[in-house]
Amino acid sequence: GTLSALYRDRWIDHLSRLLALVGAALPSFWLGLILIDLFSVRLNWLPSMGAGTFKHLILPSLTLGIAMSGVYVRLVRSSLIESLGQDFIRSARA
């Protein structure tokens, strides 16, 4: 969100807005199934179920984190763009 606000209307802004949109629009249960299929079934890097080790926490944390990060990126970007347009920022730059 910060990089997106600082480099407004450049490629990093467009990329972060696209990823934030996908992260916010994709349902968590669908994202979880996609991540299980990719990392557990196809790549066999992480366990798909169970409990006990740190590896068992990666997929649920990643699923919930991606879903919430889209909302936070948009919130941080809009707040920073609004703050960067304030008079005290322009005075500090001058």
Side-chain angles (χ1 to χ4, degrees):
T2 304
L3 289 175
S4 181
L6 290 177
Y7 299 109
R8 191 171 168 189
D9 293 330
R10 295 191 184 144
W11 68 271
I12 196 158
D13 180 32
H14 296 297
L15 180 66
S16 70
R17 284 192 295 168
L18 177 70
L19 292 176
L21 179 68
V22 169
L26 198 63
S28 297
F29 65 89
W30 186 250
L31 179 63
L33 289 174
I34 290 171
L35 291 177
I36 287 172
D37 183 47
L38 179 67
F39 291 112
S40 295
V41 176
R42 295 178 195 249
L43 297 175
N44 201 18
W45 288 353
L46 297 170
S48 61
M49 63 179 153
T53 64
F54 180 71
K55 284 186 172 183
H56 291 91
L57 296 175
I58 293 174
L59 283 178
S61 302
L62 193 61
T63 302
L64 295 174
I66 289 173
M68 290 305 297
S69 68
V71 175
Y72 289 133
V73 165
R74 293 175 64 196
L75 180 69
V76 167
R77 180 185 181 272
S78 65
S79 297
L80 278 176
I81 287 175
E82 182 181 337
S83 294
L84 288 174
Q86 296 288 328
D87 291 336
F88 67 92
I89 298 291
R90 284 185 280 181
S91 299
R93 285 186 180 169

